[in-house]
């Protein structure tokens, strides 16, 4: 089973600034990495897949990078609606599909 | 508009059974893998399993934590996926989400979730 580790657990950033979230896999997942956003009381929403491909309706201020074991989600010009929990997910080796434990992005 | 709506959640005692349904619309159900992902309130996401579409014979895969107790099925004529949960444990308490998979395991649409509470 591939273990996904996200850091930091909580990130405090001011609106308008840039947030950088990290995800590390315990072994290579190639580019088979997705990012999801979950706002309070809502279901997760797909943001990025293939490590760097934005999903339909994902704003351009969201960008993903990385391959192998180290991945980054960058959110520039933070808007109020971006403050949420973000999860990474590997889909290279399954079963099982595995998610990171999440990073909570909060307003500074 | 793509929609997935879960139903069937509720409170149940340990050892009992429950069946969840995922009713879909807005897409060709038979062309997609359907997955279930659960989330203990306030915690992270846990993959439960998936059922592939007919081109793959409706094959299923399950997380180790539910294998042998949970069974997924689908009715392509109705656009509904099911999750039969038997021998429920307290640790199965969670919100259960139904998701549509593209590239099998990238989840582009999610239902709103249904809460299952297993408690004596």
């Amino acid at each position: 089973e591939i273990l996904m580790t996200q850091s930091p657990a909580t990130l405090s950033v001011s609106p308008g600034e840039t947030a950088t979230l990290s995800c590390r896999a315990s072994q290579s997942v190639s580019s088979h990495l997705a990012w999801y956003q979950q706002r309070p009381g809502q279901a997760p929403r797909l943001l990025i897949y293939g490590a760097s491909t934005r999903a339909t309706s994902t704003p351009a201020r969201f960008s993903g990078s990385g391959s192998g074991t180290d991945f980054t989600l960058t959110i520039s010009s933070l808007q109020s609606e971006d403050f949420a929990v973000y999860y990474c997910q590997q889909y290279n080796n399954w079963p099982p599909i595995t998610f990171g434990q999440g990073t909570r992005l909060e307003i500074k | 508009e793509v929609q997935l709506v879960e139903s069937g959640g509720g409170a149940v005692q340990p050892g009992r059974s429950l069946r969840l349904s995922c009713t879909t619309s807005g897409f060709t159900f038979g062309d997609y893998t359907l997955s279930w992902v659960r989330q203990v309130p306030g915690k992270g996401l846990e993959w439960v399993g998936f059922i592939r579409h007919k081109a793959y014979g409706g094959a299923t895969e399950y997380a180790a934590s539910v294998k042998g107790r949970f069974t997924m099925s689908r009715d392509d004529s109705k656009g509904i996926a099911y999750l039969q949960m038997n021998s429920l444990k307290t640790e199965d308490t969670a919100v259960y989400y139904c998701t549509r998979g593209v590239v099998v395991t990238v989840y582009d649409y999610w239902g709103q979730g249904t809460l299952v509470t297993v408690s004596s």
Side-chain angles (χ1 to χ4, degrees):
Chain A
E1 174 175 333
I2 297 179
L3 179 65
M4 306 300 292
T5 303
Q6 292 185 241
S7 61
T10 302
L11 182 61
S12 299
V13 183
S14 300
E17 295 191 339
T18 296
T20 302
L21 289 67
S22 296
C23 175
R24 175 167 288 178
S26 60
Q27 64 188 76
S28 177
V29 297
S30 185
S31 294
H32 298 132
L33 191 285
W35 290 94
Y36 298 86
Q37 175 194 67
Q38 188 176 33
R39 295 172 177 147
Q42 296 186 14
R45 166 197 168 201
L46 176 66
L47 292 176
I48 300 279
Y49 62 95
S52 61
T53 302
R54 280 188 293 275
T56 306
S57 79
T58 300
R61 63 180 181 274
F62 290 86
S63 63
S65 63
S67 66
T69 60
D70 291 297
F71 301 87
T72 300
L73 175 68
T74 302
I75 314 169
S76 59
S77 302
L78 278 165
Q79 311 283 307
S80 57
E81 61 266 29
D82 299 336
F83 292 95
V85 179
Y86 292 84
Y87 295 95
C88 61
Q89 173 223 343
Q90 71 81 21
Y91 53 98
N92 188 64
N93 283 21
W94 49 262
I97 301 299
T98 48
F99 293 88
Q101 81 282 14
T103 290
R104 181 179 304 278
L105 179 58
E106 63 176 29
I107 300 175
K108 186 175 182 180
Chain B
E1 180 189 6
V2 173
Q3 288 193 318
L4 300 92
V5 179
E6 302 92 339
S7 59
V12 63
Q13 293 179 326
R16 304 297 292 264
S17 298
L18 206 59
R19 188 178 81 159
L20 305 183
S21 298
C22 173
T23 302
T24 72
S25 60
F27 66 100
T28 304
F29 181 83
D31 288 348
Y32 288 88
T33 293
L34 272 292
S35 300
W36 292 88
V37 175
R38 67 184 181 183
Q39 184 175 38
V40 175
K43 302 298 184 182
L45 302 171
E46 180 188 14
W47 176 76
V48 175
F50 64 65
I51 181 165
R52 300 191 73 168
H53 53 79
K54 58 187 175 184
Y56 288 86
T60 55
E61 294 284 358
Y62 300 96
S65 58
V66 306
K67 196 169 186 178
R69 300 188 298 122
F70 289 13
T71 303
M72 295 178 192
S73 60
R74 59 191 296 160
D75 185 333
D76 287 3
S77 67
K78 295 181 179 178
I80 302 176
Y82 301 98
L83 178 63
Q84 177 68 43
M85 304 184 294
N86 297 333
S87 303
L88 281 161
K89 304 177 181 181
T90 54
E91 52 264 40
D92 294 320
T93 294
V95 174
Y96 285 73
Y97 294 102
C98 172
T99 71
R100 188 182 83 164
V102 291
V103 198
V104 184
T105 50
V106 173
Y107 304 128
D108 64 344
Y109 285 93
W110 297 60
Q112 84 289 350
T114 187
L115 177 62
V116 172
T117 303
V118 184
S119 173
S120 55

